[in-house]
Amino acid sequence: MSLLVVGLSHRSAPVSVLERAALSADAQIKLLQDTVAAEPATEAAVLATCNRIELYADVDKFHAGVAELSTLLAQHSGVGLEELTPYLYVHYEDRAVHHLFSVACGLDSMVVGEGQILGQIKDSLARAQELHTAGKLLNDLFQQALRVGKRAHSETGIDRAGQSLVTFGLEQLAAGGDVQGWATGRRALVIGAGSMSSLAAATLARAGVAEVVVANRTFERAERLARILAEGDDTDVAARAVPMDAVPGELTRADVVVSCTGATGLVLTAESVAQAVEHRTGRPAEDDGDDTGSGTAVAALPPTSVGADENCPLDLAAVQGSTGFSVHGEAAVAGMDAATLEQHAAWVDNGTLDRRARRSPEADAELITALAATVATVGRIPERRRPEPVAGIPRPAPALFLLDLAMPRDIDAAVHRLAGVRLVDIESLAEASADAPMAADVDQVRRIVSDEVAAFGAAQRAAHITPTVVALRTMAADVVAGEIARLDGRLPDLDERQRGEIRQAVHRVVDKLLHAPTVRVKQLAAEPGGAGYADALRTLFDLDPETVAAVFRAEDSTDKKDRPA
């Protein structure tokens, strides 16, 4: 059996695909159960975070395993296999180990060095253990990954290379300024009471906000988090819990909102945010993409996705009010001609396109060239959420700050176009982190990962031959016992002391004969390509395969008994 991982992350897929492929808790359970029920896999674990979905399995066939795991991911995510496949990556055996260890150290995180992933890996292992889908391989792998991650954080300065997603998100809300100075005295609304929301609430409390209001669908969990915040020794913050139906009212009083729920639909729409801003400022929250500079109320905005085809790759609604892009510009980004783009959008046929937004092909030549170069460099179509501010008309200072850490998103992406609002979501965090400098400690962590991968591989290969060695020694002990019994029948006059001496002498001879080859074969098996030594032992000594398999099963059973809860 061999380790295989199939997945997608912020490095391989656009946020829109990750958002659609996000797995609920129930979907993760069903995915695990279906994976171990599939023919190629005997063990399975799912690592699902806000920016990655990975399925780990112990498989006996590589190609069949990749096909089966990819199909299962598509089925349970709801994204068609044909659409999902271009964004999937596959790692096998040592490369799969290297990938998980890198993830555990924060090297593969959106914010390099963040330590929150360790808790997510621990949860992933606990879920697989609870469902009995993790056997010896995945238990060893995930537990070692946790140790490697802790080692990286304790022995290096990787923490200086990045922060948690929460801290990084708050820094983006503060526009790169001091978070504590920005947050002091503000009122915060935290929607959700899970691990990410709890971390956000605690971070805001330590940063000096005056009040934290927690809203959650399960009110008791919101109350518990609010009580922990209010009673914390390291903070002096007022905290209270409210039910989810109180969110619209709390939104009008909050300065900062952090949302991270497991909802499959939007928690905050553009209309609700616009109403909250209007209530606070006394003026409508306007779409700052209007080329007249006068703005239009957000309630009148067309929906974010328009067109007859729900898979339309562009935010075509934004074209109407944008001075930065035209139909031809959008077409260049999408890699299609303008005529095809127009045909793709039902709103053009309905005559809702503002004719002033259209430019001549000549006027667009420079823009199209720049867009084409961007596509060639980035390697994918960048998702466009907001037009550039109109020259000479500054964007007003935000009256409301929103941080959306959910996947799929909790807050409507159309909020990006609202004047008086600053929204930071997973997508904008990915854009910001792409330019973040890497710390020098990252190289040291990479060396740790490489060393640990080599050690783990050696231990696994050595462990793989152990049942064969045990079976060999068991066979030798049986031969000795048979010969001693035969000797007792032929020499019945021997006393017990003499029998004991003969028995010890025979055992010593067998042990000495087996010692050097069994020690050496373990050393050789630990080296790359050493898996064949177990087969050689079984062939040379004519060992019963079922006896070896029984040792495997006994070891796995012992491992499960000793496994931590």
Side-chain angles (χ1 to χ4, degrees), residues 163-301:
Q163 320 91 326
S164 73
L165 208 57
V166 169
T167 305
F168 189 59
L170 293 177
E171 286 186 354
Q172 296 304 304
L173 283 184
D178 176 58
V179 171
Q180 187 162 0
W182 165 81
T184 300
R186 295 186 186 271
R187 290 166 295 187
L189 169 62
V190 176
I191 305 175
S195 58
M196 187 80 79
S197 300
S198 299
L199 178 60
T203 303
L204 286 166
R206 288 193 295 269
V209 295
E211 180 186 42
V212 176
V213 178
V214 182
N216 193 59
R217 296 190 187 282
T218 304
F219 183 68
E220 290 74 15
R221 294 188 66 184
E223 279 188 314
R224 183 165 61 249
L225 177 54
R227 184 168 57 253
I228 291 172
L229 293 172
E231 296 174 356
D233 295 332
D234 57 343
T235 63
D236 182 21
V237 64
R240 57 188 174 89
V242 298
M244 284 295 288
D245 57 14
V247 166
E250 295 296 337
L251 196 60
T252 64
R253 293 185 284 273
D255 301 301
V256 184
V257 179
V258 179
S259 188
C260 186
T261 73
T264 55
L266 294 176
V267 174
L268 296 179
T269 63
E271 288 75 17
S272 63
V273 174
Q275 290 169 6
V277 174
E278 183 174 358
H279 185 277
R280 292 171 61 87
T281 63
R283 62 179 184 273
E286 298 173 337
D287 175 10
D288 66 358
D290 182 27
D291 62 358
T292 66
S294 60
T296 56
V298 134
L301 281 176

Side-chain angles (χ1 to χ4, degrees), residues 468 472 475 531-545 548:
T468 301
L472 174 60
M475 184 191 75
Y533 287 100
D535 295 332
L537 270 186
R538 288 193 293 269
T539 302
L540 289 171
F541 288 93
D542 196 22
L543 297 176
D544 181 6
V548 178

Side-chain angles (χ1 to χ4, degrees), residues 141-495:
L141 174 69
F142 274 69
Q143 288 172 359
Q144 186 63 24
L146 292 172
R147 287 190 284 268
V148 174
K150 292 174 183 176
R151 179 189 168 191
H153 284 280
S154 64
E155 294 184 12
T156 75
I158 188 67
D159 291 331
R160 295 193 298 269
Q163 320 91 326
S164 73
L165 208 57
V166 169
T167 305
F168 189 59
L170 293 177
E171 286 186 354
Q172 296 304 304
L173 283 184
D178 176 58
V179 171
Q180 187 162 0
W182 165 81
T184 300
R186 295 186 186 271
R187 290 166 295 187
L189 169 62
V190 176
I191 305 175
S195 58
M196 187 80 79
S197 300
S198 299
L199 178 60
T203 303
L204 286 166
R206 288 193 295 269
V209 295
E211 180 186 42
V212 176
V213 178
V214 182
N216 193 59
R217 296 190 187 282
T218 304
F219 183 68
E220 290 74 15
R221 294 188 66 184
E223 279 188 314
R224 183 165 61 249
L225 177 54
R227 184 168 57 253
I228 291 172
L229 293 172
E231 296 174 356
D233 295 332
D234 57 343
T235 63
D236 182 21
V237 64
R240 57 188 174 89
V242 298
M244 284 295 288
D245 57 14
V247 166
E250 295 296 337
L251 196 60
T252 64
R253 293 185 284 273
D255 301 301
V256 184
V257 179
V258 179
S259 188
C260 186
T261 73
T264 55
L266 294 176
V267 174
L268 296 179
T269 63
E271 288 75 17
S272 63
V273 174
Q275 290 169 6
V277 174
E278 183 174 358
H279 185 277
R280 292 171 61 87
T281 63
R283 62 179 184 273
E286 298 173 337
D287 175 10
D288 66 358
D290 182 27
D291 62 358
T292 66
S294 60
T296 56
V298 134
L301 281 176
T304 305
S305 295
V306 293
D309 185 350
E310 64 178 7
N311 295 319
C312 179
L314 301 173
D315 181 4
L316 297 173
V319 177
Q320 300 179 58
S322 170
T323 60
F325 291 78
S326 70
V327 173
H328 291 280
E330 295 283 353
V333 176
M336 64 178 72
D337 58 76
T340 303
L341 177 68
E342 291 188 356
Q343 187 177 10
H344 194 62
W347 52 270
V348 172
D349 297 331
N350 294 334
T352 57
L353 174 63
D354 185 348
R355 299 295 170 180
R356 292 175 301 167
R358 297 198 186 192
R359 299 185 187 180
S360 68
E362 293 77 13
D364 272 330
E366 184 176 347
L367 177 60
I368 291 175
T369 301
L371 288 170
T374 299
V375 173
T377 302
V378 175
R380 67 176 177 87
I381 300 171
E383 293 185 47
R384 183 171 169 282
R385 300 180 310 277
R386 54 198 167 206
E388 293 297 323
V390 179
I393 304 178
R395 186 180 176 100
L400 182 60
F401 297 85
L402 302 166
L403 177 58
D404 184 0
L405 297 173
M407 184 63 70
R409 72 180 78 230
D410 279 348
I411 303 175
D412 191 346
V415 170
H416 276 297
R417 299 201 297 271
L418 293 181
V421 179
R422 178 176 296 157
L423 169 62
V424 172
D425 54 18
I426 294 296
E427 195 167 33
S428 49
L429 284 174
E431 293 171 357
S433 64
D435 298 326
M438 298 282 282
D441 299 274
V442 168
D443 287 337
Q444 186 178 351
V445 173
R446 286 174 176 154
R447 287 192 292 271
I448 288 175
V449 168
S450 296
D451 292 344
E452 292 285 356
V453 169
F456 182 82
Q460 289 295 306
R461 288 187 289 270
H464 182 72
I465 203 170
T466 298
T468 301
V469 172
V470 171
L472 174 60
R473 288 189 171 275
T474 300
M475 184 191 75
D478 291 341
V479 170
V480 169
E483 289 302 313
I484 294 296
R486 193 170 69 87
L487 185 64
D488 287 343
R490 294 180 62 182
L491 299 173
D493 297 333
L494 292 176
D495 59 33

Side-chain angles (χ1 to χ4, degrees), residues 5-182:
V5 56
V6 177
L8 66 160
S9 73
H10 65 100
R11 294 186 183 276
S12 70
V15 173
S16 60
V17 175
L18 281 172
E19 185 177 42
R20 291 170 52 213
L23 298 171
S24 66
D26 290 341
Q28 292 178 44
I29 292 173
K30 191 67 168 62
L31 175 58
L32 286 173
Q33 293 170 335
D34 288 353
T35 301
V36 295
E39 183 177 342
T42 58
E43 302 182 32
V46 173
L47 179 58
T49 73
C50 60
N51 54 30
R52 77 178 60 252
I53 304 163
E54 296 177 343
L55 179 56
Y56 292 77
D58 188 6
V59 300
D60 57 1
K61 298 182 183 70
F62 173 72
H63 293 291
V66 172
E68 188 65 34
L69 267 58
S70 301
T71 300
L72 288 169
L73 273 176
Q75 288 176 351
H76 290 279
S77 68
V79 179
L81 180 59
E82 189 173 318
E83 182 182 358
L84 192 64
T85 298
Y87 303 111
L88 294 177
Y89 47 78
V90 174
H91 298 297
Y92 190 54
E93 295 186 328
D94 283 354
R95 288 301 307 168
V97 177
H98 189 281
H99 175 74
L100 181 60
F101 287 4
S102 297
V103 169
C105 294
L107 292 179
D108 199 59
S109 294
M110 187 177 294
V111 181
V112 174
E114 61 95 8
Q116 191 173 1
I117 187 65
L118 286 173
Q120 294 163 332
I121 291 174
K122 184 178 180 181
D123 292 342
S124 176
L125 175 59
R127 185 185 304 108
Q129 289 175 338
E130 183 179 349
L131 295 171
H132 305 292
T133 64
K136 181 173 177 54
L137 175 61
L138 291 186
N139 270 282
D140 290 348
L141 174 69
F142 274 69
Q143 288 172 359
Q144 186 63 24
L146 292 172
R147 287 190 284 268
V148 174
K150 292 174 183 176
R151 179 189 168 191
H153 284 280
S154 64
E155 294 184 12
T156 75
I158 188 67
D159 291 331
R160 295 193 298 269
Q163 320 91 326
S164 73
L165 208 57
V166 169
T167 305
F168 189 59
L170 293 177
E171 286 186 354
Q172 296 304 304
L173 283 184
D178 176 58
V179 171
Q180 187 162 0
W182 165 81

